[in-house]
Amino acid sequence: MPNVTIVRRCADVAELVSVTATGLGDSAVVSADLRQLDLTVIAALRSRGVWVVGLHAPDNDGEERRLRQLGVDVVLPVDAPGPVLAAAVRDRSPVVTVPGVADPGRPQDAPVARDGAGGWRPAGPGSATAPEGRVDDLDAEVPLDPISGRVLAVWGPPGAPGRTTVAVTLAAELASRGRSVLLVDADTYGGCVAQVLGLLDEAPGIAAACRAAEHGDLDLISLARVAPEVTPRLRVLTGLPRADRWPEIRSAALERVLTVSRSLAEYVIIDCAFCLEEDEELSYDTEAPRRNESTLTSLAVADEVLAVGGADPVALQRFVRALQELGGVPSGPPRPVINRTRPSAVGGEPRARIAASLERFAGLSAVHFIPDDPAAADAALLAGRSVVEHAPDSALRHAIGELATAIAPDTARRSVRRRPSWRSRRGVRPTHG
């Protein structure tokens, strides 16, 4: 190839990763059938500034689709002319013209790499084409019209402030207002969305989705298959049943799942874990999975973060300190939510007291308050249903409804005040002093 120097012919993925780690090359040409080539490998190469060119067999749509879903920069057939391949490697152009091949480069609507510590964003949503050989077995319904969903991450400090309660109720509320919602349980410490909604969790959906993304097999239909609809317009991607399975949730794979999720639902709500520590990066094996990368990735991808805190003095102190930690990681703008607000914990007029404290110590002026409603929450949990279904007239549901209106004003419910009828009034007699 003209003006291209080949520095190493790598025998396998392990050699490719180690060679690029030394900085010997700035581009890599990989084959679609290279063993152990997955999303994590491509993400590692791109994090080092390596330009990746993928080659697939001519007329093999499966290999081409897999390379695109892995986030390869340029996808070309293996019989592409030498000058075309050289230009793809040398010029680092995502679009290369190949005679007889239409648009072999990265899709025009695919997300690009993000600057900063947020990391790399994988290629755009996969096509709505089902994996080969499994079309007849599919019963999942996917949107026919293009969707660009909004991602909301529900996060909070340790101490069980009510992250899952807020996430589940908010998702059910938006779905009840006619919006398609995908609820993702990304808590790698104690995910419990499946239990809250009375679902079987033997086969965690998030692990299956991340596995498919890791191998380049995740598209809209495969994601819909592992995220079933539990109520009208509400899909759930269940979490890990055991905390020791956290290595199954890799950062690049989860980011790919969330990217495809935007095309599946109008609102993607993520139930995150509490921990934001990044000290694991100081470990010897820097390529090993990180325990908290699920939360960090969710916060980085989210368009908005709902920061949930408790309403007692200890929980409020944790909340203020956690907000300082949140400011040190890539994340969307936080929307503070104080859960279980009650006078018994902080004294009279709890909203005013808490609002004044948060404005003084955290600089927060707009805070959403959710009242303490154990009767509604416990009854819904016992029934394995959301509060929206089981206690639609509860104070908890109405408070979450106000939060939903603030997040999505176009979904606000109209309140109609009925005038009393003549029948209801005629029995009332005026009283005279």
Side-chain angles (χ1 to χ4, degrees):
M1 293 184 290
N3 301 323
V4 174
T5 302
I6 300 177
V7 296
R8 181 70 65 86
R9 296 182 183 272
C10 300
D12 51 27
V13 166
E15 185 179 0
L16 173 63
V17 172
S18 61
V19 168
T20 55
T22 63
L24 286 181
D26 56 8
S27 299
V29 180
V30 298
S31 173
D33 59 359
L34 178 62
R35 295 184 60 185
Q36 298 182 338
L37 180 67
D38 55 28
L39 196 62
T40 299
V41 172
I42 299 298
L45 295 177
R46 298 195 58 179
S47 67
R48 297 164 183 161
V50 176
W51 185 257
V52 184
V53 178
L55 301 181
H56 62 88
D59 301 325
N60 192 322
D61 295 337
E63 290 187 353
E64 181 183 1
R65 181 172 60 250
R66 178 173 180 269
L67 289 174
R68 293 183 187 279
Q69 293 178 348
L70 288 178
V72 172
D73 294 292
V74 179
V75 179
L76 296 173
V78 71
D79 59 353
V84 173
L85 180 58
V89 174
R90 181 183 63 248
D91 301 337
R92 292 192 167 213
S93 173
V95 179
V96 181
T97 302
V98 181
V101 178
D103 189 20
R106 180 186 297 276
Q108 294 296 317
D109 59 347
V112 296
R114 294 195 305 264
D115 296 330
W120 161 72
R121 172 168 291 181
S127 64
T129 305
E132 289 184 287
R134 294 189 290 180
V135 176
D136 296 335
D137 299 332
L138 299 181
D139 56 0
E141 296 182 0
V142 297
L144 298 179
D145 299 326
I147 296 178
S148 181
R150 187 178 176 192
V151 177
L152 307 174
V154 180
W155 168 87
R163 296 182 298 269
T164 301
T165 299
V166 172
V168 171
T169 311
L170 178 61
E173 177 66 27
L174 289 173
S176 71
R177 299 184 179 191
R179 299 297 185 268
S180 58
V181 182
L182 173 61
L183 177 60
V184 180
D185 189 350
D187 189 343
T188 54
Y189 285 87
C192 58
V193 170
Q195 293 90 332
V196 169
L197 293 177
L199 306 175
L200 297 177
D201 61 347
E202 282 81 0
I206 192 169
C210 286
R211 255 193 319 270
E214 190 73 26
H215 295 93
D217 297 327
L218 183 71
D219 57 18
L220 206 56
I221 290 182
S222 59
L223 178 60
R225 185 188 299 111
V226 297
E229 198 172 69
V230 295
T231 62
R233 295 174 296 276
L234 175 59
R235 294 181 178 272
V236 175
L237 196 61
T238 56
L240 301 176
R242 300 196 315 270
D244 59 354
R245 295 182 60 177
W246 64 264
E248 298 180 33
I249 313 301
R250 298 293 186 96
S251 176
L254 178 59
E255 192 167 3
R256 170 66 179 165
V257 170
L258 297 178
T259 300
V260 179
S261 298
R262 291 181 183 269
S263 298
L264 184 62
E266 296 172 272
Y267 288 92
V268 180
I269 299 179
I270 313 171
D271 184 10
C272 301
F274 63 91
C275 193
L276 303 179
E277 291 179 354
E278 296 183 273
D279 293 341
E280 297 148 313
E281 293 184 358
L282 301 178
S283 62
Y284 176 78
D285 187 0
T286 58
E287 297 296 333
R290 312 292 198 273
R291 178 66 183 266
N292 302 322
E293 64 185 356
S294 172
T295 298
L296 296 174
T297 299
S298 299
L299 294 175
V301 170
D303 300 308
E304 185 176 358
V305 177
L306 273 63
V308 181
D312 60 85
V314 174
L316 288 171
Q317 184 185 48
R318 288 174 174 171
F319 185 63
V320 171
R321 292 178 176 175
L323 286 176
Q324 296 175 352
E325 296 181 24
L326 181 64
V329 300
S331 63
R335 181 187 294 268
V337 179
I338 300 302
N339 190 30
R340 299 193 63 190
T341 306
R342 58 201 186 278
S344 60
V346 294
E349 298 184 358
R351 293 193 176 194
R353 288 174 177 267
I354 294 174
S357 299
L358 291 179
E359 185 174 8
R360 177 183 178 185
F361 296 105
L364 300 176
S365 57
V367 181
H368 294 270
F369 292 95
I370 299 176
D372 186 25
D373 193 353
D378 291 346
L381 182 61
L382 181 62
R385 305 171 68 188
S386 70
V387 173
V388 175
E389 298 175 278
H390 196 73
D393 296 325
S394 62
L396 175 58
R397 190 270 171 94
H398 287 302
I400 294 292
E402 294 177 359
L403 177 61
T405 299
I407 293 173
D410 59 317
T411 67
R413 297 181 183 274
R414 292 184 177 181
S415 58
V416 180
R417 298 183 60 183
R418 297 182 178 178
R419 296 181 60 186
S421 63
W422 169 252
R423 177 175 298 179
S424 63
R425 287 185 295 169
R426 64 183 180 180
V428 179
R429 297 181 179 178
T431 57
H432 302 282

